[in-house]
Amino acid sequence: MGSKGEYVPLFETSRGKGRAIYKAFVASVFVGIVSILTYRATNIPAWEEDGFVGWIFCFAAELWFGFYWLLSQSLRWNPTYRRTFKNRLSQRFQDDELPGVDVFVCTADPNMEPPAMVANTVLSVMAYDYPPEKLSVYVSDDAASELTFYALLEASRFAKHWIPFCKQFMVEPRSPAAYFLSSSSSRDSVPAECFNSVKKLYEDMENRITFTTKLGRVPENTSSEHEGYLQWNKFSSKYDHHTILQTLIDGRDSNTKDIKGCSLPTLVYLAREKRPKHPHNFKAGAMNALIRVSSEISNGQVILNVDCDMYSNHSCSVRDALCFFLDEEKGHEIAFVQFPQGFENVTKNELYGSSLRVIYEMEFRGFDGYGGPLYIGTGCFHRRDTLCNRKFNKDTRIEWKMENDRNIKETASKLEERLKGLASCGYEENTQWGKQMGLKYGCPVEDVITGLLIQCQGWKSVYYNPTRKGFLGVVPTSLNDTLLQHKRWSEGVLQILLSKYSPLRYGVGRISLGLQLGYCTHCLWALNCFGTLYYSIVPSLYLLRGVSLFPQVSSPWLLPFAYVTICVNIYSVVEFLWCQGTILGWWNEQRMWLYKRTTSYLYASIDVILGLLGLSTTSFVVTNKVFDPDVSQRYKQEVMEFGTSIPMFTILATLALLNLFSLIWVVNKVLLTKDGLMLCKTMVLQILLCSLLVVINLPLYQALFLRKDKGNMPSSITTKSTFLALFICSCFVFLY
Ligand SMILES: *[C@@H]1O[C@H](CO)[C@@H](O)[C@H](O)[C@H]1NC(C)=O
Ligand SMILES: CC(=O)N[C@H]1CO[C@H](CO)[C@@H](O)[C@@H]1O
C-alpha cells in the first residue's frame, strides 16, 4: 500500500476517446441501412418478373449485412485501454512473496513445429525477469518425439549460459534465435567477447538440433548419454505409448545452478499416455494433463500458456500480468490476462491479412470494455484455481503471499514415477476433467469456450496490449494455410453458438449483454458466407440478362446505397490505418475478407450443418510452421501463393472468372450497342460492384493466366474454373 494506507492501483484502465463522434456516425449509417431495406421492401418486382428471385435474395443478404454490421458495433462501442505499474509491484512485493508461475508450452508435431523453434520458445520463457525458484516451464509433446526431447535437453544445458547472460546484460528479446537475428540496441552494452562466446554456444546447439531433426532420430552415442531416452525403448508410435515424464532441470534441487551459481527455473518434459482407443482431446487434453502434473511439482498459482511457435518478446510480461492479478482492489475479480498474438513474419502490406490487426487493436479492446476478451489459447495468464472450476465470489480474495507449496520432499525420479498416472489415458474417466475442470473438450476452439465458461462463472478477464508486444509468433505464409486456419476458427466459434454453452442462452444473466453481442460477432463469422457469395455472384450474372437489382442513377434511393458503402469503407480504411496498417494492407485485407467468406466460412458453415445432422466430427489441424524457401520468397515479395490443387481455389477462381466474363460482356454491350448509355444508367451499381470484384481479383487472374512460377494456379484448376464459369454464364444468358 502507498503511504498512510492509501490505495495505489497496480494498473489503470481508461476508455477510448472521440466516442460521441463515432456514435453519431454509427447512427447515420444505421439510418442509411434502414433506408436501403425500406427501398428493398417497397420496390419488390412482380413475382413473374425476371428479377423477382434475385431481388428477394438481395433483400435477405442486405438484412443480414445490416444486422451483422450493427452487431459488430458492439465491439467498437466501448474500447478500453490498460496500463500497468510494474515499479509499484516490485515495491509492494518482495521477490519471495511473488506467486509461483507455471508456463505451459504445447507442441504436437516435430515435422510441422521444428524442435529448434520449440527450444527457443522454452528458452525465452525460462529467461523471464522473475525469481527462478518461482518459475517452472512444462512442455507437453503430443507427438512424444525423441527429437523434441533432444532439443529440450540441449536447451536445458544452454540455459545455464543463456539465462545468466540475459540477466547480466538485460538482453531483449530473450529467444536466442530472435536475439541473434535482431539488431537490437541492447546489444551495444554486451562485451564482444561474451556476445561471441554465447553466440557460438547457441549456434552449435542449433546445428546439433537441426542435424538430428534432419536425420529423423537421435544418434545412438547421444541417446546413451541421458537415461531419459530409455523411456523410448518400449515406444511403438505417437498414437500408442505410455506416459513419458522427465524433469530436465529440477529447480527444487539446490544443487542445480547456472554457470554464475544462481538457481534455474524447473523444466519438465511431458508426453502424456496415448492409446488408439482413447480420445486424447487434442490440445485441451494436453493442457489438462499439464495442469495436473504441474500441480504436484510446482503448483504455481498463475499459469501462462504459450504456443510453441511464440516466443516471449518482453522479459517483464509476467510482472505485467501480475499487476492485474495482485491489485488489491480489483485483482480478485480477474481470472485471466490475455495478451494479443504478435507476429514477426508479417510483411509490410500483409498479403493474407494474417496479423488480425483490427481484431487485436480494436475488437479485443471492445471485449475488454464489457468484462474481458476471449481466451485465445496462447499468450494468456490464468489463475490456476479459476481454470479448475472455481466460481467467483466477491468476498473471497486469494492469498498471493502465502508460501508456495511446491513439493520438495521427493526426488525427481520418484516424483516422476508417481505422477505418470496423472497423465494416463484412463485418469479422466468418470471425472469432471474436460467438462467442469480444466479446458473443455469437444470443440475445435477449446480455448474460446473455456474462456467463455470462466466468464460465465462470474470472472472478468483483462486484455493487455502493450506497444512492445509480449509474445511473437509466425503467421501462415500461404493462402491455403490461412484459409484453413480461418475455417477451423470460424467453425469452432459457430459450434459454440449452437452448443449448450451458447453466449446467447447460457450466457444470459451470466455475462453482460455487450459481451454476449461481442461473442456473437465472432461466433457468426461463418454465416457471412451466404450473403457474400450471393452478392459476389448473382448481381453480376443478372448483368448478363440486363436485369437491374439496384436503383438507377436518377433515383433518390441511390443515395443511401452510396452513403452506406462509402462511409463504411472510409471508416474501415481509417480504422485500419489507426491500427498501424497501410492502405495497400487494407486493400489486401478486403481481398482476404472476400476469400475467407467465400471459402473458409462456407466450408465451416457446411461442416457445422453436417455436424448438426450427425454426419461429421471435429478434427484438429496443426498449422504448418515450416516454410519452403521458394514459398517464403514469394511471401516476402507479397505474391499470392496458390500452387496446390484444392477445391477452395476452384471456388475462388470460378467466382473471379464469372465476374470477369460478366464485366467483359457488359462493357461490350455498353460500347457496341445503341442503348449502351441507358444500360449504364440503369445498372450503374451492378456494373460498379462487378468491376470492383474484378479489380480486387487481379492477383488471381495473374495466377491463372500470367504467372509462370510454382505458386501459380495449377492448370487443372484453371481449366475447371474457366469451364465452370463459362457454363454458368451461358446458362444465365440462354436458359434460366
Ligand atoms: C520485440 O522486442 C524488441 C526489443 O527487444 C522490440 O524492439 C520490438 O519492437 C518488439 N516487437 C514488437 C512487435 O513489439
Ligand atoms: C519461421 C519463418 O518463416 N521465419 C522467417 C520470418 O521472416 C524472417 C525475415 O523476413 C526470415 O528470415 C525468417 O526465416
Side-chain angles (χ1 to χ4, degrees):
M1 294 279 148
S3 57
K4 302 192 194 92
E6 151 202 0
Y7 161 71
V8 186
L10 291 178
F11 71 92
E12 182 184 78
T13 305
S14 57
R15 303 278 174 213
K17 296 196 186 68
R19 304 324 294 161
I21 301 173
Y22 180 71
K23 288 175 185 179
F25 161 79
V26 169
S28 77
V29 174
F30 182 68
V31 171
I33 291 176
V34 171
S35 323
I36 291 177
L37 295 176
T38 315
Y39 163 76
R40 284 285 175 218
T42 51
N43 288 282
I44 303 177
W47 70 271
E48 66 278 3
E49 258 177 61
D50 211 355
F52 176 76
V53 178
W55 189 279
I56 295 296
F57 280 104
C58 269
F59 192 11
E62 282 152 12
L63 257 176
W64 170 264
F65 289 142
F67 161 76
Y68 191 78
W69 177 83
L70 207 60
L71 195 61
S72 69
Q73 295 319 305
S74 63
L75 293 177
R76 291 168 173 75
W77 207 244
N78 192 14
T80 293
Y81 295 75
R82 309 277 191 174
R83 213 178 118 203
T84 58
F85 303 104
K86 291 190 280 285
N87 54 341
R88 295 183 191 165
L89 180 80
S90 21
Q91 280 161 14
R92 245 179 270 175
F93 291 83
Q94 300 301 318
D95 269 4
D96 58 347
E97 294 172 330
L98 288 169
V101 175
D102 291 350
V103 186
F104 294 176
V105 179
C106 297
T107 179
D109 186 339
N111 300 315
M112 304 257 243
E113 301 170 329
M117 178 178 82
V118 182
N120 270 290
T121 302
V122 166
L123 284 164
S124 75
V125 293
M126 284 177 76
Y128 267 129
D129 170 24
Y130 204 69
E133 313 78 48
K134 302 266 173 166
L135 187 64
S136 308
V137 180
Y138 296 82
V139 179
S140 159
D141 178 14
D142 264 356
S145 161
E146 242 183 332
L147 303 173
T148 307
F149 180 74
Y150 171 74
L152 291 174
L153 200 58
E154 286 281 343
S156 71
R157 292 179 187 141
F158 178 62
K160 296 185 177 162
H161 301 265
W162 178 244
I163 296 176
F165 173 75
C166 288
K167 295 196 171 164
Q168 184 178 359
F169 300 109
M170 311 287 234
V171 159
E172 293 286 348
R174 295 192 176 178
S175 144
Y179 173 70
F180 291 118
L181 268 181
S182 77
S183 45
S184 134
S185 58
S186 67
R187 236 151 104 160
D188 305 342
S189 61
V190 185
E193 195 183 330
C194 289
F195 180 86
N196 291 334
S197 79
V198 173
K199 185 169 184 194
K200 169 115 193 1
L201 280 176
Y202 172 70
E203 283 169 351
D204 290 348
M205 171 185 85
E206 196 193 19
N207 289 339
R208 285 193 299 273
I209 297 179
T210 336
F211 173 77
T212 358
T213 309
K214 284 217 181 94
L215 195 65
R217 62 185 170 78
V218 180
E220 240 150 63
N221 54 350
T222 315
S223 63
S224 57
E225 279 169 21
H226 194 276
E227 82 272 0
Y229 293 104
L230 294 177
Q231 303 213 26
W232 270 270
N233 283 351
K234 287 178 290 175
F235 183 79
S236 48
S237 84
K238 69 184 248 195
Y239 308 105
D240 191 4
H241 62 84
H242 54 92
T243 303
I244 302 175
L245 178 62
Q246 280 284 321
T247 313
L248 297 174
I249 300 180
D250 187 3
R252 307 168 310 144
D253 180 353
S254 49
N255 297 323
T256 319
K257 298 279 185 225
D258 64 26
I259 54 159
K260 290 262 160 64
C262 300
S263 310
L264 281 165
T266 297
L267 174 62
V268 175
Y269 172 90
L270 171 71
R272 63 198 165 116
E273 186 186 16
K274 291 266 185 72
R275 297 294 172 206
K277 291 233 169 61
H278 279 86
H280 55 81
N281 296 305
F282 312 99
K283 190 174 158 192
M287 286 284 290
N288 286 345
L290 285 177
I291 293 178
R292 291 193 297 269
V293 168
S294 64
S295 74
E296 294 281 331
I297 301 178
S298 50
N299 200 24
Q301 286 162 297
V302 172
I303 291 175
L304 162 63
N305 167 212
V306 263
D307 275 351
C308 65
D309 63 338
M310 298 215 110
Y311 62 85
S312 148
N313 196 49
H314 197 326
S315 62
C316 291
S317 297
V318 175
R319 289 177 189 269
D320 276 321
L322 291 183
C323 284
F324 295 102
F325 289 128
L326 267 53
D327 183 78
E328 286 84 351
E329 287 269 281
K330 305 212 186 79
H332 70 290
E333 311 172 334
I334 297 168
F336 60 91
V337 177
Q338 178 68 62
F339 282 64
Q341 268 181 295
F343 300 101
E344 60 167 353
N345 267 57
V346 280
T347 51
K348 181 155 167 277
N349 301 310
E350 296 170 274
L351 190 56
Y352 303 120
S354 346
S355 71
L356 309 174
R357 210 171 268 290
V358 173
I359 292 185
Y360 287 135
E361 296 297 326
M362 192 75 210
E363 302 197 337
F364 267 51
R365 296 191 204 278
F367 275 109
D368 204 8
Y370 293 125
L374 324 175
Y375 163 40
I376 52 170
T378 182
C380 187
F381 290 85
H382 280 274
R383 264 173 63 173
R384 183 183 283 270
D385 56 347
T386 60
L387 262 185
C388 296
N389 194 34
R390 174 156 174 180
K391 291 201 176 48
F392 175 64
N393 176 337
K394 66 179 179 354
D395 301 319
T396 317
R397 312 255 154 165
I398 185 168
E399 190 47 67
W400 292 106
K401 289 189 181 179
M402 75 186 176
E403 269 305 289
N404 209 347
D405 59 342
R406 49 170 33 196
N407 182 337
I408 47 173
K409 291 182 283 297
E410 283 167 284
T411 62
S413 53
K414 270 212 180 121
L415 194 59
E416 280 159 15
E417 278 316 307
R418 187 165 67 80
L419 300 187
K420 277 183 181 172
L422 295 180
S424 68
C425 286
Y427 185 86
E428 294 182 350
E429 274 166 29
N430 306 317
T431 66
Q432 288 301 318
W433 285 97
K435 294 176 214 132
Q436 303 286 323
M437 292 285 278
L439 275 83
K440 305 293 168 282
Y441 294 156
C443 177
V445 285
E446 71 294 328
D447 37 17
V448 178
I449 192 157
T450 303
L452 172 64
L453 290 182
I454 291 176
Q455 289 166 338
C456 285
Q457 303 267 33
W459 299 100
K460 295 217 162 65
S461 59
V462 159
Y463 181 55
Y464 185 60
N465 183 7
T467 332
R468 188 170 134 203
K469 299 284 174 269
F471 300 92
L472 293 184
V474 286
V475 291
T477 51
S478 75
L479 182 59
N480 183 0
D481 285 343
T482 313
L483 293 177
L484 284 177
Q485 188 181 53
H486 281 270
K487 182 207 164 234
R488 178 167 75 83
W489 286 343
S490 55
E491 181 176 344
V493 284
L494 183 57
Q495 280 180 8
I496 293 179
L497 191 73
L498 300 173
S499 75
K500 71 173 179 194
Y501 296 121
S502 166
L504 280 185
R505 266 181 296 145
Y506 189 77
V508 177
R510 293 185 168 94
I511 54 177
S512 69
L513 179 65
L515 197 56
Q516 285 178 42
L517 296 179
Y519 267 102
C520 284
T521 313
H522 282 202
C523 289
L524 287 173
W525 275 340
L527 296 191
N528 279 306
C529 66
F530 300 111
T532 310
L533 273 170
Y534 181 81
Y535 239 69
S536 55
I537 301 177
V538 180
S540 305
L541 288 179
Y542 268 95
L543 277 180
L544 300 174
R545 298 180 71 81
V547 174
S548 168
L549 294 174
F550 293 92
Q552 322 190 353
V553 171
S554 53
S555 159
W557 289 112
L558 192 73
L559 274 178
F561 278 94
Y563 181 75
V564 170
T565 319
I566 293 173
C567 278
V568 167
N569 281 297
I570 289 183
Y571 170 75
S572 153
V573 175
V574 171
E575 185 178 73
F576 198 81
L577 295 181
W578 183 84
C579 298
Q580 291 108 44
T582 59
I583 297 261
L584 192 54
W586 175 80
W587 180 244
N588 286 335
E589 170 126 327
Q590 302 309 300
R591 182 179 312 110
M592 281 314 293
W593 181 95
L594 177 71
Y595 288 3
K596 280 188 285 197
R597 287 182 168 207
T598 48
T599 58
S600 312
Y601 292 0
L602 176 68
Y603 277 47
S605 303
I606 293 177
D607 269 6
V608 168
I609 293 169
L610 290 182
L612 286 180
L613 301 174
L615 297 176
S616 86
T617 53
T618 53
S619 60
F620 192 99
V621 196
V622 179
T623 324
N624 188 18
K625 282 132 199 164
V626 183
F627 305 103
D628 180 334
D630 229 29
V631 176
S632 286
Q633 189 57 30
R634 283 191 288 273
Y635 174 70
K636 277 180 203 154
Q637 293 167 343
E638 306 197 324
V639 175
M640 265 209 167
E641 182 70 29
F642 296 95
T644 41
S645 196
I646 56 168
M648 279 187 180
F649 290 166
T650 313
I651 300 182
L652 292 181
T654 310
L655 279 183
L657 289 174
L658 264 179
N659 281 290
L660 183 65
F661 297 154
S662 306
L663 189 70
I664 294 175
W665 169 284
V666 82
V667 167
N668 224 3
K669 265 207 146 161
V670 168
L671 296 181
L672 300 183
T673 56
K674 279 198 300 311
D675 47 359
L677 195 65
M678 193 57 209
L679 193 72
C680 248
K681 277 187 185 158
T682 49
M683 311 276 268
V684 64
L685 284 186
Q686 248 156 297
I687 298 177
L688 275 178
L689 179 63
C690 185
S691 327
L692 206 65
L693 284 164
V694 169
V695 177
I696 207 158
N697 271 313
L698 284 178
L700 208 149
Y701 303 126
Q702 269 176 350
L704 276 172
F705 303 117
L706 304 175
R707 276 166 55 186
K708 294 276 173 292
D709 56 82
K710 277 200 202 129
N712 73 356
M713 197 63 97
S715 55
S716 63
I717 291 196
T718 311
T719 327
K720 234 186 295 181
S721 54
T722 313
F723 181 75
L724 255 173
L726 278 175
F727 176 73
I728 298 174
C729 287
S730 39
C731 280
F732 243 74
V733 177
F734 302 112
L735 307 165
Y736 170 18

